[in-house]
Amino acid sequence: MSLAFDLSGCLSARLGDGALEESQVLVKAQSLRPALDRLSDLRSAGEGDPEFLLLPDRRADLEPARDLAFALNEACDDVLILGTGGSSLGGQTLYALADAPLGPAHPRLHFLDNVDPFGFERLLDRLDLEHTGVVAVSKSGGTAETLCQFAVIVEAMIEALDESRLASRVAVITEPKDSPLAALAERWRLPRLDHDLGVGGRFSVLSVVGLLPALLAGLDAAAFREGAAAVLDRALGPEGCELASPAAGAALAVLAAERGYSQSVLMPYVDRLADFGLWYRQLWAESLGKHGKGTTPIRALGPVDQHSQLQLYLQGPADKLFTLIRLETEGEGPRVAPQIVDDPRLEYLAGRRMGDLLDAMARATAETLIRNGKPTRTLVLERLDEEVLGGLFMHFMLETILAAELLGVDAYDQPAVEEGKVLARDYLAVMQRD
Ligand SMILES: O=P(O)(O)OC[C@H]1O[C@H](O)[C@H](O)[C@@H](O)[C@@H]1O
């Protein structure tokens, strides 16, 4: 399995003089060879940081996750996944692959990654808590939103079930260290899966953080890792600096940023990749947005956003680098019956499949962007399954850490997010309590 990114739409061969030369991207990508070799040594050694690179070759950690998923599947029609940011976005993206609603074999998953009382209470009112499970996910074990959700749900579950049965419905994923969430789990002896200490939240999708929801949804957890391993093999191997590689993708993003392309638009023409765009947005923003550096990731979806954003993309500021992802959908999907569209103005739709229109739209938008001088790379997927999505995750995580290497920033911390949390606690401290 390899991901054939086509960068030609970002280079002078298609965009004309003044645009990036292929050789510039390749030379920059080649400058990452020492970093790739370092990562390859780490993987062979099977230990060290970044630990997320070791996940594709792991399997043992999936067994306790399988056991937990099995227990919750047996008892629950609905499972709430509490958590935010990196503790939620990966799971949401994986779940998009599941043929939801999944029927009796698998519970419906609800990802609660925000604290709006309106939506939260409305969902709670609809749930049968007797047949509802909860998984609270927090690497730090101290995120206010997740703890607030957890406290409210636990109280409701105790009322509905009885305290002694809490452990049969509620579990946590958090780091194996002392934290408020770990202490709560200890208090009710709740099942607990360890969040890998060396894996950052936004890099945790291939850990139990992402794969427990996948297992709950009946997806093949190992296949995600196999796809990621295949991408890793190629990215760290002799082809690691070729034009379709993560190293070249990182080089392109950094060279483009130096030329004023400060926004990075990811636009899948695949509804099941809509949440992937949100996952990418956190990954790219939080990993690179430091010391005044980094580019702004924008999540778009095609073709729907052609009807809201394309005007800006084509005739607004020339500051965007585009990545369009599509599946081969020609000849697929429901057919437009000619007798329904017998109006001569609709002749172009007669006998067409919905997938034909989607395919034409995706290709036309990419071509239009390139013809208008907008650097656009494309990726065509033959299929979208666990393996391919696993590969996509790994490609973009590698591209991100290699871009951080080129920019000279630390891809793994996010110090700036703490200030607002402290201020929020100050505001809470002076608020009236019930
Ligand atoms: O997993 P947690 O520790 O609860 O953190 C959840 C999220 O919140 C933090 O504020 C960071 O911005 C994210 O990188 C992180 O993924």
Side-chain angles (χ1 to χ4, degrees):
M1 202 275 302
S2 73
L3 300 172
F5 279 88
D6 176 357
L7 270 61
S8 62
C10 300
L11 306 173
S12 58
R14 292 274 354 249
L15 293 180
D17 295 347
L20 274 172
E21 302 292 336
E22 178 174 325
S23 56
Q24 289 174 291
V25 176
L26 290 174
V27 166
K28 191 91 169 172
Q30 195 60 43
S31 75
L32 287 164
R33 189 73 255 178
L36 295 172
D37 294 343
R38 222 176 36 247
L39 298 173
S40 178
D41 293 346
L42 171 140
R43 189 182 176 205
S44 323
E47 57 180 15
D49 286 322
E51 192 184 343
F52 81 88
L53 284 184
L54 306 177
L55 293 170
D57 306 321
R58 255 182 218 165
R59 293 294 178 274
D61 60 334
L62 293 180
E63 290 325 306
R66 277 185 218 291
D67 297 342
L68 180 57
F70 181 79
L72 289 171
N73 273 345
E74 289 289 292
C76 306
D77 298 330
D78 294 276
V79 174
L80 312 181
I81 311 286
L82 312 181
T84 195
S87 285
S88 182
L89 290 165
Q92 293 185 43
T93 305
L94 296 170
Y95 188 50
L97 274 199
D99 297 332
L102 296 156
H106 296 283
R108 288 172 293 275
L109 303 189
H110 309 266
F111 291 86
L112 305 179
D113 61 358
N114 225 355
V115 281
D116 182 327
F118 180 80
F120 197 83
E121 285 178 322
R122 203 168 57 173
L123 175 65
L124 228 55
D125 292 345
R126 286 207 322 256
L127 290 170
D128 164 11
L129 294 183
E130 177 64 38
H131 298 103
T132 295
V134 178
V135 181
V137 187
S138 175
K139 176 179 172 67
S140 63
T143 299
E145 296 96 322
T146 308
L147 290 165
C148 174
Q149 296 170 331
F150 187 73
V152 170
I153 298 249
V154 162
E155 188 191 11
M157 298 283 275
I158 289 173
E159 230 164 80
L161 304 175
D162 185 81
E163 201 154 349
S164 61
R165 295 176 58 211
L166 212 53
S168 70
R169 296 285 188 282
V170 182
V172 308
I173 301 179
T174 194
E175 283 188 335
K177 66 174 177 53
D178 179 39
S179 72
L181 184 60
L184 289 166
E186 194 52 41
R187 180 171 163 190
W188 285 292
R189 305 241 173 287
L190 304 177
R192 193 182 128 159
L193 297 178
D194 287 345
H195 191 303
D196 301 287
L197 286 165
V199 177
R202 56 185 176 275
F203 294 92
S204 68
V205 60
L206 296 169
S207 77
V208 292
V209 169
L211 298 181
L212 175 68
L215 289 165
L216 282 165
L219 295 165
D220 181 347
F224 287 108
R225 288 186 170 174
E226 282 151 25
V231 164
L232 207 45
D233 292 346
R234 198 177 176 90
L236 302 184
E239 310 96 337
C241 298
E242 65 187 358
L243 214 47
S245 67
L252 171 71
V254 170
L255 287 168
E258 289 166 4
R259 290 158 167 259
Y261 295 103
S262 60
Q263 324 247 338
S264 171
V265 178
L266 182 73
M267 190 170 186
Y269 276 69
V270 187
D271 284 356
R272 283 168 294 159
L273 290 178
D275 289 338
F276 182 84
L278 294 176
W279 172 85
Y280 161 75
R281 203 178 61 166
Q282 180 201 16
L283 176 72
W284 194 256
E286 265 195 358
S287 302
L288 304 179
K290 292 153 195 172
H291 316 303
K293 297 179 179 170
T295 62
T296 303
I298 295 171
R299 172 261 196 149
L301 186 66
V304 59
D305 285 334
Q306 290 173 205
H307 307 281
S308 66
Q309 303 301 301
L310 200 53
Q311 174 62 39
L312 170 80
Y313 295 168
L314 286 168
Q315 293 185 348
D319 57 2
K320 297 174 186 65
L321 173 66
F322 296 92
T323 300
L324 270 58
I325 302 178
R326 70 180 171 89
L327 264 172
E328 285 168 348
T329 57
E330 191 174 340
E332 294 199 12
R335 182 172 173 275
V336 177
Q339 68 276 18
I340 304 292
V341 292
D342 57 1
D343 178 325
R345 290 167 297 182
L346 295 176
E347 197 285 326
Y348 69 94
L349 280 179
R352 287 267 165 254
R353 298 273 168 181
M354 189 174 280
D356 299 340
L357 180 60
L358 177 59
D359 183 77
M361 286 281 189
R363 288 191 290 122
T365 300
E367 188 56 26
T368 304
L369 286 165
I370 295 167
R371 286 185 183 180
N372 285 273
K374 310 302 174 188
T376 304
R377 65 173 173 168
T378 56
L379 173 65
V380 183
L381 303 173
E382 282 157 21
R383 63 184 202 280
L384 181 59
D385 56 16
E386 289 95 327
E387 209 192 334
V388 170
L389 186 53
L392 273 175
F393 284 129
M394 186 49 74
H395 180 99
F396 280 91
M397 288 192 283
L398 286 169
E399 214 171 88
T400 303
I401 65 169
L402 294 169
E405 179 87 18
L406 291 173
L407 292 172
V409 300
D410 176 351
Y412 305 104
D413 66 357
Q414 60 285 326
V417 303
E418 300 309 320
E419 184 182 346
K421 295 179 189 176
V422 173
L423 194 54
R425 301 266 177 101
D426 294 346
Y427 291 158
L428 281 167
V430 295
M431 280 183 189
Q432 193 74 24
R433 286 177 204 264
D434 286 353

